[in-house]
Structure formats: structure tokens, C-alpha cells
Amino acid sequence: MDTIFIATCPACDRQFPVDEEIREMDVFLECPYCRNKFPPESSKIR
Amino acid sequence: MKSLREFIEAIERDPEDQVVHVEKPVNPADFDCVAILQHLESQDRRPLVVFDNPLDVNGDPSGIPVVMNAFATRERCAAALEHPRDDSDLGLSLEFARRATGGLDPIVIGGSEAPVREVVVEADEVDMGTLPIVIHSEGDYAPCLTMTLVVRDPESGAHNLSFIKAFYDFENRRRLRVTIQSPDTKRALDWHESRGMDMPVAAVLGHHPAFFFGTMGFTPYDSDDYKTIGGYVGEPVRLVSSQTLGDDFMVPADAEIVVEGVIPAGERMICDPFGDITRQYQAQTLRPVMNVSAMTRRSDAMLQDVFAGHRDHMTLGQIPKEGSLHNNLRRQFGELIGSVHLPFSGCGRLVAYISINKQYEGQAKAVAMAALRESWTLQYVVVVDNDIDVFNEEDVIWASLVYVDPTRDVTVIDNIWTIFTLAMGHRKTMIDATRPHDRLLPDMNRIPREAMERVDLDEYLGGL
């Protein structure tokens, strides 16, 4: 079972689930709605 | 030779089934296909649907029809295996399990004879955006190919096929982002990556449904899936050497479309969400990528797709798991075991209903524990008496309401490995819904058997 967090895209404000394991990694999340890329720390974490 | 088009023609001839052709242009990458399927499903209709004129991901007419819902009913799955439609409950699942133990050696043919080689596009000419790739759910990462991936074990030479998800990559028209869940495919990737080797792969995007069922048969890692698939299709699978992955890497000659490429060792990119089998989104994470080296296809190819998170998806695991679970429990408990069903309400994965010929208290729990051990997707097991039809969910729920004392008949196993992200967390639950032998309860009401046999409905209703 994955442990997840819910990311909120800073560009379109929509939410999507993200694997908790990549929260601390040096990767950009990609919003599936607007394709905006952003680091996990800039996401509003729910 | 059996193929997707041959199956569609057979369903069109079948008076008990239906093929719907959508001739109006649709945009699969903008939810048109899934919206049509959802509307049909809301009317409890699950025909096989051919979208004759879809746009490709680039927004141009693709010239490649999209086929969905090939697996959407158990009766159609039975037809795929040429098994009687009216035996599509446990009988179908047991037939599925029986075929996993057989097999037919494949036949190798030359490229000039192979329908899948009628059109070949290689290297820089490849553009995955020319395919009519379907997006399935609102929050999906991208349009996604949902059929199977071929890998070849370099040590045994065996080919292994499993369902994967391959997302269109908006940043690179020759790349796909790939979600691999099959233990065998993961094992092959681990083998290659531990040696720093790229893994050759081929995606098969359309074939006879029995071909894809054959990929779900439970067989050892080092047995060749093409042989197993032959047992499901009912004839040897015709193979052809790959276009770009070497002569030893074989692909199905009668497929609609084959996409060849490599998964580079150690490379990972962001991928998902995807509305998956449990009707929830799989979380975004890092996944392997596939660099595409060739796309080969029939000149009039169709692209097959699974309606993910719906019955078209659920039967693919439901039917194989029912058969194997029934047989494994029978081996352990013999005639105690009646029937087994993994209902659609549990997505064909999460819950098993098992009926038993109960003789003693505690047998239901013993069977439930064994079931949880046999099938790692199960989160719940409900055990009922043999007079309950496990394929009739209303009866199973009734037994659970009437016979279950929650203080002793519901057992939660805590801190156990699970794969799905559910509110229950790392727990699994067993429910003994058999009639307790040590408590007095009224009998279930019934119509006398004699009366049921004596009364002929046609005699009274005149065939209405």
C-alpha cells in the first residue's frame, strides 16, 4: 500500500495524489490537468 | 488465424451479443470514447464498441479505429475462449485455470507473411502522437496505452507478457512512460538494470481477446508465455522476429499494432496518476520510460484499449483469480469448498465470496485465512454456506446480515502487507457468514422443491 500525499498545483489549484516517497526527492511534480511542473515543497499539502 | 478482427466479426454474428460502431469522429485524448462508454454503462449496456473514426493525439484523423469493451462481460469473455456463454460463472473460471496447464508451441513465420509488418515506421519517423490513444479518467497523467508488454528473459529465452500502462509523453513523441505492476516484468527489469543493461520490450496493442487472456495464466517465470497463450487461443500463436530488437525477440505476427523499444537502465520519470482497477487514482511517482525504436502494424490496423477501472478491466483479473483460488482451496480442503467469486463490487480483486459445505464451526475462518494467503489482492473474504449462490451478491449480503455476529464472526488481521490504498490501511478482514451451528436461528424461507419442479412457468404464462 502506497503512502500518499495530496498535492495542489500552484498554477491551477487542482489536486492529485502523489507517492510520499518522492516528496523529499529532487524531482518536479507534473500537474495532470495543466501540465505545470513544480517542486513538492511549493505544493500546498493537504 | 485468430485475430481481433476475427473476434469482432464473430461477436457481430452472435445474436446474444452486440457490437456498436461509432462512425462519428471522436477525440479519444479528450475523453470522447470513455464518455460514450460511461453513458452506455449507466444504461447497463456494455457492447463491444468500435470507434471507427478517431482523431490521433496530434489532433488529426488517425485512420486507426479504437476497439474497447472486448472484455466487458463474462459472457463475451466466455465467447473469446469458445466456452459456452451460459457457463460464464465459475465454469468459465475453471476452464480458464485448466488452460493455464496446457499450451501449444508457437509458429515462426517470415516478416513478409506477417500482417503486423504491413506498415513499418522506424527511428526518427516514429511519432506516438499518430495513434488514437485514449485518456481514461479526468485526473489521469496523459492518454495511455493499456494493453500488454512483451519482455524476453535472456537466461531462459522465454517471453513474458503482462498488462502495463504506457502513457503518451507530451515532451517526446518517441517516448512512453511506463507503469509496470506484473511481478514477472519487474523481475525482468531488475535483471537487466542490475547489470546496467537496457531492456528490450514490445507493446502489443491489439489481438484476439483470448491472446490477452493467455497472458494472465498463472505460469512459471521461465515458461514461454507464447506457448501458454496458444492454449487459450486454441491454435499456435504465429510469431515474427522483431523489427529492431533482434531475431530472438519475437512479436505476435497477427497483432494489430506492435510498438518496439527499450527501457533504459535506471532511467525514471514522473508518471501517473491513473484511474486504476480499484476506481481510485494511482499516485504520481517515478516510473521507467520506453524509448520507441519502431512501430509496426497492419495496413488497416485497429488499436485495442481497456476501459480502465470498469468491467472491461475487472474481468481480466477476476476470471483468472477465481479459477486459481478455487483450485488451490480445493487442493487444501477438498469437497469442503463449493464455489468462489470475486464480484465486480470489489473490482474483481478486493473481495472473495466463498461457499463451503460447512460441518464444524471454525471451518469458514480456516478457508478465509487460506484464501488471503493464496491471493495477495484480496482485502476481504466472506465465507457463506453452500446454499448461498456466491454469484448472487444479494444473497451473500443477506447471509452477512442474518448470520454474522460482528463480535466473533468478523476478524481483522492487523499490520499485514497490502497493495491497495484503502481506508482500512494495512489490514485484511475475514467474515464468517455461514449459519452458526451453535446458535438457534430460524430457517431460511423457501418454496418447496416439489412445487418448483411441478410448476412449469410457460404453462402458466404462455411463454411471456
Side-chain angles (χ1 to χ4, degrees):
Chain A
M1 179 183 136
D2 294 332
T3 304
I4 64 167
F5 69 95
I6 304 296
T8 303
C9 174
C12 71
D13 214 35
R14 298 192 73 171
Q15 297 180 327
F16 59 96
V18 179
D19 189 342
E20 180 69 37
E21 284 186 359
I22 67 170
R23 190 202 287 257
E24 304 302 325
M25 292 183 185
D26 185 23
V27 295
F28 278 62
L29 307 181
E30 291 184 28
C31 175
Y33 300 100
C34 71
R35 311 229 74 81
N36 177 45
K37 294 185 179 184
F38 57 98
E41 62 267 24
S42 73
S43 166
K44 302 171 198 168
I45 306 297
R46 188 178 76 181
Chain B
M1 291 298 129
K2 287 190 176 170
S3 62
L4 177 59
R5 57 201 54 223
E6 186 256 355
F7 179 72
I8 294 171
E9 288 166 10
I11 296 299
E12 283 177 321
R13 289 192 301 271
D14 188 338
E16 295 184 62
D17 207 341
Q18 187 183 18
V19 177
V20 169
H21 284 270
V22 178
E23 294 180 0
K24 186 176 178 179
V26 294
N27 187 352
D30 193 27
F31 304 102
D32 288 0
C33 296
V34 291
I36 289 168
L37 295 185
Q38 181 66 70
H39 276 303
L40 287 166
E41 188 173 291
S42 299
Q43 301 169 8
D44 203 23
R45 296 171 63 195
R46 294 176 182 81
L48 189 154
V49 181
V50 181
F51 299 96
D52 290 302
N53 296 296
L55 300 180
D56 62 22
V57 177
N58 296 330
D60 300 317
S62 70
I64 299 175
V66 173
V67 179
M68 299 182 76
N69 265 359
F71 310 99
T73 70
R74 290 182 71 107
E75 291 78 10
R76 193 171 302 138
C77 294
L81 296 177
E82 296 179 334
H83 187 75
R85 280 180 170 276
D86 59 4
D87 188 35
S88 60
D89 286 344
L90 186 64
L92 171 61
S93 304
L94 296 179
E95 172 62 15
F96 185 97
R98 187 189 68 76
R99 294 200 193 188
T101 61
L104 291 169
D105 287 324
I107 297 170
V108 176
I109 65 172
S112 61
E113 301 172 72
V116 77
R117 272 307 151 63
E118 288 168 358
V119 177
V120 176
V121 183
E122 289 186 73
D124 288 344
E125 298 300 313
V126 172
D127 180 358
M128 296 306 294
T130 60
L131 289 178
I133 308 177
V134 176
I135 191 163
H136 299 83
S137 295
E138 185 177 15
D140 281 3
Y141 175 73
C144 186
L145 300 164
T146 55
M147 304 311 286
T148 58
L149 193 73
V150 187
V151 299
R152 183 176 177 275
D153 175 26
E155 292 184 320
S156 67
H159 294 81
N160 192 288
L161 284 79
S162 64
F163 278 85
I164 50 107
K165 295 181 284 285
F167 290 91
Y168 179 75
D169 191 328
F170 287 100
E171 297 174 359
N172 185 334
R173 62 191 171 87
R174 291 182 53 200
R175 187 171 64 196
L176 297 166
R177 304 190 187 192
V178 183
T179 298
I180 295 170
Q181 289 167 321
S182 155
D184 285 353
T185 309
K186 280 183 178 170
R187 178 172 165 177
L189 183 60
D190 288 346
W191 189 96
H192 284 84
E193 291 194 323
S194 67
R195 291 162 175 78
M197 295 167 61
D198 298 345
M199 181 167 76
V201 294
V204 181
L205 306 180
H207 208 303
H208 192 283
F211 177 96
F212 292 109
F213 265 126
T215 71
M216 302 294 288
F218 296 105
T219 54
Y221 176 71
D222 58 358
S223 68
D224 198 288
D225 279 358
Y226 285 132
K227 179 177 179 179
T228 306
I229 291 167
Y232 283 84
V233 176
E235 63 185 29
V237 176
R238 297 201 310 170
L239 302 177
V240 61
S241 293
S242 66
Q243 181 74 17
T244 57
L245 305 176
D247 289 344
D248 291 340
F249 195 107
M250 310 304 291
V251 297
D254 295 296
E256 295 292 325
I257 302 170
V258 168
V259 177
E260 299 179 4
V262 296
I263 293 182
E267 190 169 334
R268 298 290 185 273
M269 295 191 76
I270 278 291
C271 190
D272 287 309
F274 183 77
D276 215 329
I277 183 66
T278 60
R279 302 168 63 184
Q280 300 167 293
Y281 289 103
Q282 180 129 25
Q284 186 163 95
T285 191
L286 293 172
R287 305 279 190 199
V289 299
M290 173 181 172
N291 292 328
V292 177
S293 55
M295 179 160 53
T296 76
R297 63 176 177 87
R298 292 171 181 255
S299 57
D300 56 352
M302 297 180 280
L303 187 147
Q304 192 172 356
D305 188 74
V306 171
F307 189 18
H310 295 258
R311 292 193 183 185
D312 195 30
H313 189 182
M314 294 172 185
T315 56
L316 285 164
Q318 174 192 56
I319 294 168
K321 287 176 192 300
E322 285 171 0
S324 67
L325 183 57
H326 178 274
N327 288 348
N328 290 337
L329 292 175
R330 270 283 172 108
R331 272 191 281 277
Q332 189 171 345
F333 296 101
E335 295 299 314
L336 176 68
I337 304 301
S339 191
V340 174
H341 181 41
L342 276 66
F344 289 119
S345 58
C347 311
R349 308 289 192 282
L350 298 175
V351 59
Y353 299 157
I354 302 171
S355 63
I356 63 170
N357 299 300
K358 177 178 164 182
Q359 295 161 312
Y360 308 106
E361 283 302 315
Q363 285 179 314
K365 193 177 289 185
V367 168
M369 288 175 68
L372 289 177
R373 193 178 62 237
E374 292 291 340
S375 185
W376 44 272
T377 68
L378 291 177
Q379 297 272 158
Y380 294 87
V381 177
V382 181
V383 182
V384 296
D385 292 304
N386 244 358
D387 59 353
I388 298 295
D389 177 4
V390 293
F391 282 82
N392 183 338
E393 191 157 55
E394 200 170 308
D395 280 1
V396 175
I397 299 295
W398 175 85
S400 303
L401 296 173
V402 171
Y403 292 145
V404 171
D405 173 355
T407 62
R408 72 167 200 179
D409 297 326
V410 177
T411 307
V412 177
I413 302 173
D414 205 3
N415 196 24
I416 185 171
W417 178 71
T418 55
I419 61 166
F420 297 119
T421 308
L422 309 178
M424 72 192 300
H426 291 287
R427 296 184 182 86
K428 298 198 176 197
T429 300
M430 303 182 291
I431 300 174
D432 177 355
T434 58
R435 181 174 175 158
H437 287 188
D438 55 355
R439 294 187 187 188
L440 288 176
L441 290 172
D443 287 339
M444 184 199 304
N445 62 346
R446 302 180 188 281
I447 312 299
R449 181 188 294 263
E450 174 276 324
M452 291 302 293
E453 291 173 354
R454 170 170 44 82
V455 173
D456 180 348
L457 202 57
D458 285 347
E459 191 179 312
Y460 287 84
L461 300 185
L464 289 175

